[in-house]
Every structure is written in C-alpha cells, then in structure tokens.
Amino acid sequence: MARPPALQRVLGKVAATCREHELFLPGDLVLVGVSGGPDSVCLLHGLHALRRLLRIRLAVVHVDHGLRPDSGADAVYVRRLGARLKVPVLVHRVTERPSRGESVEAWARAQRYRAFEEARRELDARRVALAHTLDDQAETVLLALLSGKGLEAVAGMRPVAGPYVRPLLEVTREEVEACCRALRLRPREDPSNRDPRFLRNALRLRGIPALERALRRPVREPIAQTAALLREDADELARRALEAFEDVVEEAPAGVDLDAVRLAGLPKAIAGRVVRLALLRCGAAWTREDVEAVLDLARGRPGRRRDLSHGLRAERGKEYVSILSRASPEGRG
C-alpha cells in the first residue's frame, strides 16, 4: 500500500537526519520516549516504518508524571499503540511530587530523563529517541537568547547528545500533525501545553506567531538553520579550548592550577572556556562571575584572591592561578 505523502515527507527527513548524524548502528535497540502527544506518536510511527531500513529494534518508554487526574489514560493509549505496532512498552509511574517553589517543567524533565536512564540500563539499549521537532529547536534558541545565555545554549539542541538522539529535528510541527492526520491517529493532548504561564508555551502560542505576523514571513526554519551553523562554531571553539586546557591546566592535590601567563595570552573566547573546564574539573558548575574572576586574577598581580561560588576560591601566585576549596591550604606560587 502506498504511503500517504505526509508520512513520506516525515520519513524522508527522518531518514536523512539518521544518515547525516549517524544516529543509529545496525542492530541497535532504540528506546522511544512516547508521551502520547502528536510529536512522540509521529516519531514512533516514523521509526517503526523505517526500522528495517535502519536495521534497528524498538521499545517504548512512557513516563506518567501523575500531575493530572487523567494522566493514567495517556499510559493506556501508549500501551495500545505499542500493542498495535508490536513494540514493547515500559511505563514508569512517578510517585514523587515537585517541591514547593520548584519549577514543574524542570522537575518533570528530570523525572523523564531519570526514567529513560533506568530503562536504558535495564534493557541495555544504546539510544533513546526523543521527539523534539524543528519548532522545538526554534523555541529553544529564542529562549536561550531571552535568558542571556552563551553560544552553546543559542546553538540549540543537538541531533546526538550522548545516548539521546532527535530524529525529528528537521521536521516541523505542522508536518507532524499532517502525518498524524494521514495515519488517522488521535494523539493525546496535554492541556498544560496550552497554558501561557509557562514561558515556552507563551513563546510558542503568542511570541513566535506575533513575530511572524510582524515580519510577514516564517521564522522557525531560519532560526533552526542558524542554530545548526552556530553548533559548528561552538564545536570548533570547544575543540580549541580542550587543546588549550591541556597546555594551561595542571592537576593539584586540592584543585587545579592554571598557568597565568598562558591563560592571559589566550583569546578571551578560548580562555573563558578553559576556565569553565577547570571549574568543572573541580566539581563545580561554572558561573559567568567565576570565570571573569579567574581571568582577572590571571591578568593581574600576584597575591590577590577571590571567593568563587560552590565553596571554591581562586588565588594568584607568581606563576599560577589556583582554584581550590575554601577549606584547602594555600595554592602554588
């Protein structure tokens, strides 16, 4: 039977993304994260249709966050979908609840990834396929811009990030919905996706449509294309920073030592990334203020020190800037 054109368009883009980014290897067991919404249902059907071409096996993971009274119906829908396609379905029910004041979106995302990791280890799967679309990519890039984040964030989501892959990253949400209609599917709808109190929803439902009306042109695809170009730049800067890190940073008993002259002589885009890596090596998530403090010490005179976040401090010796625990003894000279 001939496939509907809407499905063919999605399959062509998914197959091209899989080839270009080498998402799968022959024989891979791929876990597909399926919420029951249009994007993930389309992803499952697309990978199922391509499974012989890609030479992969599939299993489904559904996470029931328990945030809505009818969330159990989503799990029932996904189980039926898996049975129809003869794909095994694992349902993970979350029993915890977000803490008071905690972002529900961030909490739910953490719960999903925890469930994905547990399922991946249980089934010995190499890949987890996520249903992020081109529209999601455009929203992610704009959110990063509005948050004042750097190049890596503005470069958006990657097709491959460790075990996680995004086969729909070149597929628009409009194409997803057309594919579901062509297959006569009736995906579940999460009412929270229409709540403009969530920043991403406000951007998707109001911000981007208003921008397109004002400019009289689509913006999602150009934004996603820009992100792809920025990822190339981010990758090159990361490669150079790693090379410089090996030349500048030395392990120390209580932290790390950075050669002050060499660090100060690097282009700032590379030097800042070297400091970020050094802070990560000390087990701390970097902040912009921490990075600027270490760079300032490298450019200045010996004898100064600065308190950093996460219980760290930085000291400028004669030759090195040492990053240490605040309870550690003095650093190197």
Side-chain angles (χ1 to χ4, degrees):
M1 183 184 301
R3 288 169 173 162
L7 174 60
Q8 286 286 56
R9 279 193 293 274
V10 169
L11 294 183
K13 289 188 174 184
V14 169
T17 297
C18 291
R19 286 194 299 267
E20 180 182 356
H21 301 286
E22 299 180 345
L23 301 192
F24 308 119
L25 294 175
D28 275 353
L29 173 60
V30 179
L31 300 183
V32 187
V34 180
S35 67
D39 297 347
S40 61
V41 168
C42 176
L43 173 63
L44 177 58
H45 275 81
L47 291 179
H48 186 265
L50 293 169
R51 69 193 187 283
R52 291 189 178 89
L53 175 67
L54 300 173
R55 298 165 63 187
I56 57 176
R57 297 170 293 129
L58 302 175
V60 167
V61 181
H62 172 79
V63 181
D64 180 358
H65 301 93
L67 294 175
R68 307 191 323 274
D70 64 341
S71 65
D74 294 348
V76 172
Y77 174 84
V78 173
R79 285 189 188 279
R80 289 175 178 168
L81 189 63
R84 193 177 311 130
L85 297 176
K86 298 181 179 178
V87 174
V89 176
L90 283 74
V91 174
H92 178 90
R93 291 182 176 85
V94 179
T95 57
E96 304 172 24
R97 287 296 174 265
S99 304
R100 180 175 295 180
E102 183 179 6
S103 165
V104 175
E105 288 177 297
W107 173 85
R109 181 180 184 276
Q111 295 296 326
R112 283 195 299 277
Y113 277 86
R114 183 181 302 169
F116 293 155
E117 282 301 302
E118 289 178 2
R120 190 170 68 86
R121 288 193 297 269
E122 178 182 341
L123 298 180
D124 194 26
R126 199 176 75 91
R127 293 298 201 200
V128 179
L130 306 177
H132 296 118
T133 65
L134 183 144
D135 293 61
D136 293 317
Q137 181 74 295
E139 294 159 13
T140 297
V141 172
L142 289 176
L143 287 170
L145 284 170
L146 294 171
S147 302
K149 295 182 178 178
L151 176 61
E152 287 78 10
V154 178
M157 297 178 286
R158 294 178 175 273
V160 183
Y164 296 94
V165 296
R166 298 179 170 94
L168 292 183
L169 215 48
E170 299 296 327
V171 179
T172 67
R173 189 167 290 135
E174 183 179 357
E175 289 171 327
V176 161
E177 292 171 352
C179 179
C180 290
R181 288 194 299 270
L183 293 174
R184 298 181 179 179
L185 300 170
R186 299 183 64 183
R188 301 284 296 175
E189 293 290 341
D190 184 348
S192 68
N193 290 334
R194 298 191 296 271
D195 188 345
R197 290 177 297 176
F198 296 113
L199 183 57
R200 183 180 286 272
N201 289 351
L203 187 62
R204 182 180 71 251
L205 299 173
R206 298 177 179 177
I208 292 179
L211 186 60
E212 291 182 328
R213 286 194 301 270
L215 298 177
R216 298 180 182 178
R217 65 183 65 183
V219 300
R220 296 170 176 87
E221 290 193 35
I223 291 171
Q225 290 166 4
T226 298
L229 295 173
L230 291 177
R231 283 196 297 277
E232 295 178 5
D233 295 344
D235 288 344
E236 178 61 19
L237 285 170
R239 185 188 66 79
R240 295 191 182 188
L242 193 57
E243 290 178 352
F245 179 88
E246 299 297 329
D247 188 47
V248 170
V249 180
E250 297 180 19
E251 296 282 352
V256 295
D257 295 325
L258 298 89
D259 187 299
V261 172
R262 290 178 178 175
L263 180 62
L266 292 171
K268 188 174 181 181
I270 302 298
R273 285 168 168 78
V274 169
V275 175
R276 294 182 205 173
L277 290 171
L279 290 165
L280 290 171
R281 182 64 62 87
C282 293
W286 62 271
T287 68
R288 183 176 179 180
E289 292 75 18
D290 289 346
V291 172
E292 292 294 335
V294 173
L295 293 177
D296 177 64
L297 291 176
R299 293 189 293 262
R301 58 180 175 76
R304 296 188 302 149
R305 66 176 60 189
R306 297 280 295 274
D307 284 340
L308 308 177
S309 60
H310 304 289
L312 298 177
R313 76 176 191 275
E315 299 179 353
R316 174 66 155 92
K318 292 181 180 178
E319 300 179 31
Y320 297 92
V321 177
S322 299
I323 301 177
L324 310 159
S325 163
R326 289 181 196 169
S328 301
E330 297 297 310
R332 284 177 58 174

